[in-house]
Amino acid sequence: MSEHPILLVEDDKNDVFFFQRAMEEAAFACPLRVARDGGEAIDYLSGTGAFADRVQFPLPCLVLLDLNLPRRHGLEVLQWIRGNAPDPAVPVIVLTSSTSDRDVREAYRLGANSYLSKPSGAGNLVALVRALDAYWFHHHRFTPAAGG
Amino acid sequence: MNPPPAPDHSAAGTSRTPRARRSLTLQLTLIVAAIVAMLLGVLLLDGNRYWREIVGEQIDAQLSAVAESRRNMVLAHLAQLKQRAEMMAEHGQFRGLLNNLIMGQPDTINRNYSQGRLDEMADGKRMFSAMLADAKGRVLLASKGTDVLGDVSSDPAFTKGMSGIYVGPPCSVGDHSEVVLAAPVRDYSRPVKIAGVLMMTVDVSPLAAALRDTTGLGQTGEVLLGVREAGQMRFLFPPRHRHDVLLFPLTDTPAMAAATNGRDFLQPTRDYRGEPVLAAGRPIGYGGWGLVAKMDEAEAHAPILGALRHALWLGAAIMLVGLAAAWMLARRFSRPISQLAAAAESVARGELDVAVPVASQTEVGVLAACFNEMTAALRARTAERETAELQLAEAQRQLQQHAGNLENTVRERTEKLREIVEELEAFSYSIAHDMRAPLRAMTGFSDILLTDHAGQLDETGRRYLQHIAMAARRMDTLIVDILNYSKVVRGELEMKPVNVEQLIREITTTYPALGADRADITVASPLPRVLANGAALTQVVSNLLGNAVKFVAPGVRPYVCVRAEKDAEGVRLWFEDNGIGIAKDAQARLFHIFTRLHGQEEYEGTGIGLAIVRKAAERMGGSVGLESEEGRGSQFWIRLKEADDS
């Protein structure tokens, strides 16, 4: 299991709670860091402000990104990651309740690795987390620089 | 329909008119020239014939006169010669000598006298020799220098002389001509008895000279004297053009042949040289002699040729003058026409400010006047048209301005409207989106309560929790449906050929409610490809199939058959089910949004699905409908355009 955490960018506290609980339910042991808005996500990834300590806030191996975020929109964050982040190749999975075609198209155009709809109901979310675990941490290989 | 191609007036005009102008003058000139040439030709031919006749008659008369006079001259000469011979033969010495000889008496006196007489004769004028022969042809005496002695009984002169006076055919010796003259010498006592013949050679040079005289016969004419000899023609004096030959074939001398045959001759013929001649022939009436007076046709007709040449020169001059006059006349006629043509050309080019001079009151003058009137009318019409065009252009400009203003207004309003719509969309979208977050929380917490804290609640509490979760889920479904509906209503629908069969296969494998374990869905293959938007058609088909399997009587296994039907407007896709059917009075409002025919307890639903179907079909240029009866199943259809590439 990687020492690099998953960075969940999510402004809804309930959804953060549901996700953490689903990870527990799914016995998904990867550490989780949370950014509450777009600005925080960029601060975390660039290691500035409150996130300067890389020991406490190491670079993530995976970013779960909501789109409708305060301060900076999720697509803005995605664009910043692909252009300016220390690890621009970090896998970014969009996890959002938006079903807009335009959002889907833009996300993929800006370099999202996947686009997932937020499921409704605790059971469905646990299934999604299990799928993430299976795909990204059992079958997928990260780039050596990021994943170690 | 295409208009017929317009004829190219300008090109045709410039190429046709000058050629026509040239040919008019040329044609008029040629016509006049042809008439003059014909007249001249007729006059020349007629004159030629006339003059030939006149000259021919004149020459004929002249030749006849010459022939006649020369014949008379020859006859006179002959008569003179005969008379002379007779006179000579009458001398008494000759008769006495011959008588004595016959009597056998020597007569030295008469002999000497006779000899003297013969010598005297031979010395005399125009006589070269003389001799005396007895009746047996023995030469008794001969003039001095004449060595012909002995027997002359076979000499034609002697034999002829025995019966009468004989003049032999003349022959030329050196530069003079001579004839043999024979006369009988009668017995002294009995004059009827011929005692001997006096034979003389006489100079006939004067006769020859007289015949050679070509007065009135021109440079080529001559008078010939001829006699037949052993089937040939012998000229008695050398002809003018052939001094060395006297004998010619009869066929080469037709005029002489006729004269020596005793016939007069007067006609154009050929002479001994083969030259064409005019000839007059006369028999002399002695010894088979004939006389021909002739003249070369070329010389005879020379005056005619001269006259003709003269006439030709004159004709050529007349022709030239005629041509010049004709050309001037033609120009005078064609100049106004040329001016008209040039003016017409200018008009064809669009230059209307032309006027042709009206020189006369002839037809051409009237035409010119008419032309001027026409160009004036054209000018007036053109001016009117130009004014009208200006007005039209002004009107068009104003119209365009108004249209431009209107367009700007419309563009501005549309832009504003679009902004408002976008704002509204964003607003409703974010509301719908934001509404889903609390619903998700409600669902999530209800689930957690029911799984993690179920033991702390009683049966009623758990049921209430389930009601909360169910209500939240229904609300979420409603919001998703509304979002889908608005997507169909406002989204850009790109139309492409869609394989309906494949699309149905994908839908039935994706939606659990349409799986083979829960419903029988069959497709009447093959379905034609249709022109549609894939996402929208997926929505439509999944909604129709979903309804078909949902609205069945309890305990009935759903059955759906999809088939296609082509008609004039495109393709109709039919969805037949074995469901509960729809009452007639409900069918009309079935496709309106939020229309529900059943309570949530019976069949769950939002009342949006068929509204999406209808809206999507309409956005794709199609339509929807149904045929149904309550309790007998339903047949929904959607009509779309068939893809061209199928």
PDB file of all heavy atoms in Angstrom, chain B residues 61-75:
ATOM      1  N   ALA B  61     -16.019  38.840-155.301  1.00  0.00           N
ATOM      2  CA  ALA B  61     -16.305  39.582-156.530  1.00  0.00           C
ATOM      3  C   ALA B  61     -15.007  40.014-157.205  1.00  0.00           C
ATOM      4  O   ALA B  61     -14.842  39.888-158.438  1.00  0.00           O
ATOM      5  CB  ALA B  61     -17.146  40.814-156.184  1.00  0.00           C
ATOM      6  N   GLN B  62     -14.107  40.458-156.354  1.00  0.00           N
ATOM      7  CA  GLN B  62     -12.822  40.927-156.880  1.00  0.00           C
ATOM      8  C   GLN B  62     -12.070  39.794-157.564  1.00  0.00           C
ATOM      9  O   GLN B  62     -11.574  39.926-158.682  1.00  0.00           O
ATOM     10  CB  GLN B  62     -12.021  41.484-155.699  1.00  0.00           C
ATOM     11  CG  GLN B  62     -10.838  42.318-156.099  1.00  0.00           C
ATOM     12  CD  GLN B  62     -10.137  42.862-154.857  1.00  0.00           C
ATOM     13  OE1 GLN B  62     -10.804  43.085-153.851  1.00  0.00           O
ATOM     14  NE2 GLN B  62      -8.856  43.071-154.954  1.00  0.00           N
ATOM     15  N   LEU B  63     -12.027  38.634-156.861  1.00  0.00           N
ATOM     16  CA  LEU B  63     -11.306  37.478-157.406  1.00  0.00           C
ATOM     17  C   LEU B  63     -11.952  37.014-158.699  1.00  0.00           C
ATOM     18  O   LEU B  63     -11.268  36.678-159.687  1.00  0.00           O
ATOM     19  CB  LEU B  63     -11.291  36.352-156.375  1.00  0.00           C
ATOM     20  CG  LEU B  63     -10.355  36.558-155.173  1.00  0.00           C
ATOM     21  CD1 LEU B  63     -10.504  35.419-154.171  1.00  0.00           C
ATOM     22  CD2 LEU B  63      -8.904  36.637-155.637  1.00  0.00           C
ATOM     23  N   SER B  64     -13.305  37.009-158.681  1.00  0.00           N
ATOM     24  CA  SER B  64     -14.014  36.576-159.889  1.00  0.00           C
ATOM     25  C   SER B  64     -13.653  37.493-161.073  1.00  0.00           C
ATOM     26  O   SER B  64     -13.373  37.018-162.191  1.00  0.00           O
ATOM     27  CB  SER B  64     -15.521  36.629-159.666  1.00  0.00           C
ATOM     28  OG  SER B  64     -15.868  35.669-158.690  1.00  0.00           O
ATOM     29  N   ALA B  65     -13.625  38.796-160.750  1.00  0.00           N
ATOM     30  CA  ALA B  65     -13.311  39.757-161.813  1.00  0.00           C
ATOM     31  C   ALA B  65     -11.899  39.545-162.343  1.00  0.00           C
ATOM     32  O   ALA B  65     -11.675  39.504-163.574  1.00  0.00           O
ATOM     33  CB  ALA B  65     -13.454  41.175-161.252  1.00  0.00           C
ATOM     34  N   VAL B  66     -10.986  39.347-161.411  1.00  0.00           N
ATOM     35  CA  VAL B  66      -9.584  39.114-161.825  1.00  0.00           C
ATOM     36  C   VAL B  66      -9.498  37.856-162.675  1.00  0.00           C
ATOM     37  O   VAL B  66      -8.893  37.839-163.754  1.00  0.00           O
ATOM     38  CB  VAL B  66      -8.687  39.021-160.575  1.00  0.00           C
ATOM     39  CG1 VAL B  66      -7.295  38.509-160.964  1.00  0.00           C
ATOM     40  CG2 VAL B  66      -8.583  40.371-159.904  1.00  0.00           C
ATOM     41  N   ALA B  67     -10.136  36.768-162.190  1.00  0.00           N
ATOM     42  CA  ALA B  67     -10.077  35.499-162.907  1.00  0.00           C
ATOM     43  C   ALA B  67     -10.645  35.653-164.313  1.00  0.00           C
ATOM     44  O   ALA B  67     -10.069  35.178-165.299  1.00  0.00           O
ATOM     45  CB  ALA B  67     -10.850  34.445-162.117  1.00  0.00           C
ATOM     46  N   GLU B  68     -11.761  36.360-164.372  1.00  0.00           N
ATOM     47  CA  GLU B  68     -12.428  36.543-165.668  1.00  0.00           C
ATOM     48  C   GLU B  68     -11.514  37.299-166.641  1.00  0.00           C
ATOM     49  O   GLU B  68     -11.288  36.893-167.790  1.00  0.00           O
ATOM     50  CB  GLU B  68     -13.731  37.313-165.434  1.00  0.00           C
ATOM     51  CG  GLU B  68     -14.723  37.233-166.559  1.00  0.00           C
ATOM     52  CD  GLU B  68     -15.245  35.813-166.769  1.00  0.00           C
ATOM     53  OE1 GLU B  68     -15.377  35.062-165.772  1.00  0.00           O
ATOM     54  OE2 GLU B  68     -15.476  35.439-167.936  1.00  0.00           O
ATOM     55  N   SER B  69     -10.961  38.415-166.089  1.00  0.00           N
ATOM     56  CA  SER B  69     -10.155  39.267-166.978  1.00  0.00           C
ATOM     57  C   SER B  69      -8.893  38.538-167.418  1.00  0.00           C
ATOM     58  O   SER B  69      -8.483  38.616-168.588  1.00  0.00           O
ATOM     59  CB  SER B  69      -9.810  40.576-166.273  1.00  0.00           C
ATOM     60  OG  SER B  69      -8.884  40.351-165.259  1.00  0.00           O
ATOM     61  N   ARG B  70      -8.269  37.794-166.509  1.00  0.00           N
ATOM     62  CA  ARG B  70      -7.043  37.079-166.876  1.00  0.00           C
ATOM     63  C   ARG B  70      -7.336  35.981-167.880  1.00  0.00           C
ATOM     64  O   ARG B  70      -6.552  35.697-168.765  1.00  0.00           O
ATOM     65  CB  ARG B  70      -6.373  36.479-165.623  1.00  0.00           C
ATOM     66  CG  ARG B  70      -5.933  37.508-164.613  1.00  0.00           C
ATOM     67  CD  ARG B  70      -4.851  38.425-165.153  1.00  0.00           C
ATOM     68  NE  ARG B  70      -4.739  39.626-164.363  1.00  0.00           N
ATOM     69  CZ  ARG B  70      -3.915  39.755-163.333  1.00  0.00           C
ATOM     70  NH1 ARG B  70      -3.121  38.785-163.010  1.00  0.00           N
ATOM     71  NH2 ARG B  70      -3.878  40.879-162.646  1.00  0.00           N
ATOM     72  N   ARG B  71      -8.494  35.324-167.719  1.00  0.00           N
ATOM     73  CA  ARG B  71      -8.856  34.283-168.682  1.00  0.00           C
ATOM     74  C   ARG B  71      -8.999  34.918-170.087  1.00  0.00           C
ATOM     75  O   ARG B  71      -8.475  34.386-171.085  1.00  0.00           O
ATOM     76  CB  ARG B  71     -10.177  33.636-168.287  1.00  0.00           C
ATOM     77  CG  ARG B  71     -10.558  32.438-169.143  1.00  0.00           C
ATOM     78  CD  ARG B  71     -11.855  31.843-168.664  1.00  0.00           C
ATOM     79  NE  ARG B  71     -12.961  32.657-169.105  1.00  0.00           N
ATOM     80  CZ  ARG B  71     -13.878  32.223-169.981  1.00  0.00           C
ATOM     81  NH1 ARG B  71     -13.799  31.016-170.466  1.00  0.00           N
ATOM     82  NH2 ARG B  71     -14.873  33.024-170.348  1.00  0.00           N
ATOM     83  N   ASN B  72      -9.667  36.041-170.075  1.00  0.00           N
ATOM     84  CA  ASN B  72      -9.840  36.708-171.374  1.00  0.00           C
ATOM     85  C   ASN B  72      -8.484  37.080-171.966  1.00  0.00           C
ATOM     86  O   ASN B  72      -8.261  36.944-173.170  1.00  0.00           O
ATOM     87  CB  ASN B  72     -10.709  37.947-171.214  1.00  0.00           C
ATOM     88  CG  ASN B  72     -12.144  37.575-170.894  1.00  0.00           C
ATOM     89  OD1 ASN B  72     -12.556  36.436-171.175  1.00  0.00           O
ATOM     90  ND2 ASN B  72     -12.902  38.494-170.323  1.00  0.00           N
ATOM     91  N   MET B  73      -7.587  37.515-171.087  1.00  0.00           N
ATOM     92  CA  MET B  73      -6.261  37.890-171.555  1.00  0.00           C
ATOM     93  C   MET B  73      -5.545  36.668-172.139  1.00  0.00           C
ATOM     94  O   MET B  73      -4.947  36.733-173.227  1.00  0.00           O
ATOM     95  CB  MET B  73      -5.469  38.469-170.377  1.00  0.00           C
ATOM     96  CG  MET B  73      -4.173  39.100-170.774  1.00  0.00           C
ATOM     97  SD  MET B  73      -3.231  39.470-169.282  1.00  0.00           S
ATOM     98  CE  MET B  73      -2.714  37.859-168.835  1.00  0.00           C
ATOM     99  N   VAL B  74      -5.640  35.527-171.421  1.00  0.00           N
ATOM    100  CA  VAL B  74      -4.987  34.293-171.897  1.00  0.00           C
ATOM    101  C   VAL B  74      -5.577  33.905-173.256  1.00  0.00           C
ATOM    102  O   VAL B  74      -4.863  33.554-174.213  1.00  0.00           O
ATOM    103  CB  VAL B  74      -5.155  33.176-170.863  1.00  0.00           C
ATOM    104  CG1 VAL B  74      -4.710  31.830-171.454  1.00  0.00           C
ATOM    105  CG2 VAL B  74      -4.365  33.479-169.606  1.00  0.00           C
ATOM    106  N   LEU B  75      -6.927  33.998-173.312  1.00  0.00           N
ATOM    107  CA  LEU B  75      -7.588  33.619-174.571  1.00  0.00           C
ATOM    108  C   LEU B  75      -7.127  34.531-175.711  1.00  0.00           C
ATOM    109  O   LEU B  75      -6.874  34.083-176.841  1.00  0.00           O
ATOM    110  CB  LEU B  75      -9.100  33.708-174.404  1.00  0.00           C
ATOM    111  CG  LEU B  75      -9.718  32.530-173.634  1.00  0.00           C
ATOM    112  CD1 LEU B  75     -11.205  32.749-173.412  1.00  0.00           C
ATOM    113  CD2 LEU B  75      -9.465  31.205-174.365  1.00  0.00           C
TER     114      LEU B  75
END
